Amino acid sequence: MTTITESPAATSETSKYEAVIGLECHVQLATRSKMFCGCPTDYAGAAPNTHVCPICLGMPGVLPVINRTAVEYTLLTGLALNATIPDATKFDRKNYPYPDLVKGYQISQYDLPLVKGGFVEITVGADTRPVKLERVHLEEDTGKLTHVSGGSLVDFNRSGVPLMEMVSQPDLGTPAEARAYLRKLRAILRTLGVSGADMEKGQLRCDVNVSLRPVGASKLGTKVEVKNLNSFRSVQRALEYEIVRQAAALDAGQTIPQETRGWLEERGVTVSQRSKEEAHDYRYFPEPDLPPIFVSAEWLDHLREQLPELPDARRGRYMTSFGLGAADAEALSIDQWSARLFEDTVAAGADAKKAANWIQNDVGRLRGDTDGHTLDAQHLADLIRMVDNGEIGISAARQVLPRVHESGRSPQALVTELGLTQVSDSSELEAIVQQVIADNPTPVADYRSGKLSAINFLKGQVMKATRGKANPGVAEDLLKKSLE
Ligand SMILES: [Zn+2]
């Protein structure tokens, strides 16, 4: 698990100021077809412009049709965010010229979004608090430009894919909180099954805005928007960079211009791109080709029944039912893979706190970035029990785990095969203990003259002689008996 920490640079240089951070996330919904036409959305890896039709190519005279599943996914998200769902909503045209926007406008939502307000709870360190959202609305994705020498290429496979925009209030105070918020959003979206929410695949894209104000001031500073953030790490780094940059500018008596900046991952800096448009530049007006949507109480009740256990509820259950602390409960509940393995391992008989530790540390390291794994919960529970029983030492268990993971074989079989069974039998250890005492007269004399810590050195020698297989407790008892 990644530990969320404050950047020392961001806190030390900016102690005079406090940051006010908001996030705007675009989420591709995992529907089978596009937002306003029947084209399939599984365009990943497909040849350019093969998942298109006259509607998503913006041909004149065509009529869009609303994708009901996309609307329901957005409503489900609203319910999961504890938000208000207005009973009437509509689509609007957002007008702007850009080569990836083939119609010259994007169908979006302006003054009547599907979802208003709501919050998610974030946990940073031991503190849990709600972060408020402004709105969630539905729109269509644009095409994709590729710049080549001599010009640009455009692929409209992505054009018209349902896109949910989730706007937070400026309710975040640190880069670490922003990252925790993003992780929580991803966990909710994945738990609901409404999006893959994979940042690397462009399913979850995020812009941040950040301003500084003197500590204690109520008036907001001028906000700067940062785009092109493709990972959780880049969100955190870009914010840390921006906070330091803005603090230095304010200290030098400069004013911060309202602008959009881009994050350059390789250089670790933001650069100015353009001054920010005001909302009216888009000349929004109601989409004349689509009817308004009325959301009935019955429809919402039906959707509410489909809600699975959400990450915040799961975190609470891990704390009350399994006695985990807030940080452990958050780390496990926020990730479906870890949550499932944790619950299965406890069900297979493992101690909950030990299972939580193993999954977050040794198991987490094995997992890497892939979701594929062969670690069986019963095997993990067996391994934890074998350590508890003294059958194997902790270092042997750490050695065995990757092999269990790779081979899918039981830890019992692997421990026997690798000869890692812990030696707890006094008669087997006695000879080694006597040898260690004979070979180390100085530490033995130290111990006998009252320097009791010398026992640790001698115990280390027993562990070394048994290649880590001696039961450390039994070894210590035998040493003491022989020395006294
Ligand atoms: Zn289409």
Side-chain angles (χ1 to χ4, degrees):
M1 288 294 125
T2 311
T3 312
I4 296 171
T5 50
E6 282 282 2
S7 153
T11 46
S12 62
E13 291 183 51
T14 59
S15 49
K16 275 194 298 193
Y17 304 105
E18 62 185 11
V20 178
I21 299 167
L23 268 72
E24 194 179 296
C25 297
H26 285 97
V27 179
Q28 278 190 342
L29 293 175
T31 55
R32 283 203 304 254
S33 58
K34 291 188 181 179
M35 188 63 231
F36 300 114
C37 63
C39 289
T41 53
D42 59 345
Y43 61 85
N49 299 309
T50 53
H51 288 46
V52 292
C53 73
I55 293 175
C56 55
L57 284 175
M59 296 294 169
V62 296
L63 280 177
V65 175
I66 299 169
N67 182 329
R68 183 186 177 94
T69 305
V71 173
E72 293 197 333
Y73 280 1
T74 306
L75 293 173
L76 275 171
T77 304
L79 292 172
L81 297 173
N82 315 288
T84 304
I85 314 280
D87 50 17
T89 176
K90 68 174 169 65
F91 287 99
D92 299 278
R93 286 191 184 179
K94 179 181 183 181
N95 297 281
Y96 66 94
Y98 202 69
D100 65 4
L101 187 69
V102 71
K103 297 196 291 285
Y105 61 87
Q106 180 187 32
I107 304 179
S108 181
Q109 297 193 280
Y110 184 50
D111 54 342
L112 296 176
L114 269 161
V115 173
K116 282 185 179 172
F119 65 88
V120 298
E121 288 184 347
I122 59 165
T123 300
V124 177
D127 298 323
T128 296
R129 72 168 186 89
V131 175
K132 295 195 275 295
L133 279 93
E134 183 71 40
R135 60 189 275 156
V136 179
H137 72 247
L138 194 51
E139 58 190 31
E140 55 180 337
D141 211 341
T142 60
K144 202 165 187 181
L145 291 175
T146 308
H147 304 289
V148 293
S149 75
S152 295
L153 301 171
V154 62
D155 174 10
F156 289 111
N157 283 349
R158 197 178 71 178
S159 173
V161 167
L163 202 60
M164 190 168 67
E165 182 170 317
M166 310 180 74
V167 185
S168 85
Q169 290 192 18
D171 195 21
L172 295 153
T174 64
E177 283 193 351
R179 186 171 175 155
Y181 168 81
L182 207 48
R183 284 175 65 91
K184 180 53 65 74
L185 280 195
R186 182 178 68 174
I188 291 169
L189 296 166
R190 287 183 173 174
T191 302
L192 292 172
V194 301
S195 175
D198 188 330
M199 285 192 89
E200 281 177 13
K201 292 181 184 161
Q203 295 165 338
L204 172 59
R205 312 196 286 268
C206 195
D207 302 331
V208 301
N209 55 68
V210 52
S211 63
L212 296 189
R213 63 183 171 192
V215 171
S218 56
K219 188 170 174 284
L220 291 172
T222 309
K223 76 177 174 188
V224 169
E225 188 178 27
V226 185
K227 288 180 175 288
N228 308 340
L229 301 165
N230 300 320
S231 67
F232 286 12
R233 193 173 131 75
S234 56
V235 167
Q236 181 157 357
R237 286 177 70 210
L239 284 169
E240 285 165 359
Y241 176 85
E242 244 335 272
I243 290 169
V244 172
R245 183 189 72 83
Q246 291 183 26
L250 292 171
D251 281 346
Q254 297 164 6
T255 53
I256 306 287
Q258 184 170 338
E259 61 178 350
T260 298
R261 297 176 72 88
W263 169 247
L264 302 182
E265 181 72 37
E266 312 75 45
R267 287 174 50 201
V269 299
T270 65
V271 290
S272 182
Q273 289 184 326
R274 56 186 157 88
S275 62
K276 178 81 181 134
E277 305 91 343
E278 293 296 331
H280 62 251
D281 290 344
Y282 293 121
R283 301 178 64 88
Y284 280 98
F285 65 85
E287 168 58 58
D289 290 339
L290 292 172
I293 299 173
F294 298 100
V295 183
S296 69
E298 294 75 32
W299 192 12
L300 274 187
D301 285 344
H302 174 70
L303 290 172
R304 205 174 272 115
E305 283 164 17
Q306 296 174 27
L307 285 177
E309 182 184 44
L310 292 160
D312 285 344
R314 203 185 288 152
R315 184 194 62 230
R317 183 163 60 83
Y318 287 1
M319 292 172 77
T320 52
S321 304
F322 299 123
L324 298 187
D328 280 351
E330 174 79 358
L332 291 171
S333 63
I334 208 165
D335 175 78
Q336 279 179 293
W337 183 88
S338 301
R340 198 174 310 129
L341 181 60
F342 170 69
E343 293 194 29
D344 290 349
T345 305
V346 173
D351 173 79
K353 284 183 187 167
K354 285 176 184 159
N357 272 334
W358 275 95
I359 292 169
Q360 288 183 80
N361 296 303
D362 294 81
V363 178
R365 277 194 288 277
L366 287 179
R367 181 185 170 192
D369 292 327
T370 64
D371 282 339
H373 72 100
T374 52
L375 188 61
D376 183 83
Q378 185 64 55
H379 288 164
L380 180 57
D382 288 347
L383 195 67
I384 294 170
R385 183 182 43 75
M386 289 166 82
V387 175
D388 284 352
N389 294 347
E391 285 172 58
I392 51 172
I394 191 79
S395 64
R398 291 216 165 95
Q399 255 176 278
V400 170
L401 181 74
R403 295 169 193 262
V404 174
H405 179 260
E406 282 157 26
S407 67
R409 295 172 62 205
S410 77
Q412 291 89 335
L414 287 163
V415 162
T416 310
E417 191 175 296
L418 298 168
L420 291 169
T421 307
Q422 183 162 266
V423 182
S424 301
D425 184 343
S426 323
S427 58
E428 265 183 71
L429 288 179
E430 186 62 43
I432 295 164
V433 165
Q434 292 313 323
Q435 191 62 48
V436 165
I437 288 173
D439 291 348
N440 296 281
T442 314
V444 166
D446 286 350
Y447 181 82
R448 286 183 169 142
S449 65
K451 196 183 158 201
L452 298 180
S453 61
I455 193 98
N456 292 327
F457 174 81
L458 295 167
K459 194 167 73 180
Q461 295 305 302
V462 175
M463 297 306 291
K464 202 170 151 191
T466 58
R467 287 179 294 129
K469 288 190 288 179
N471 180 320
V474 175
E476 185 166 335
D477 287 346
L478 287 173
L479 280 167
K480 280 183 182 163
K481 242 177 258 165
S482 301
L483 292 170
E484 274 152 18

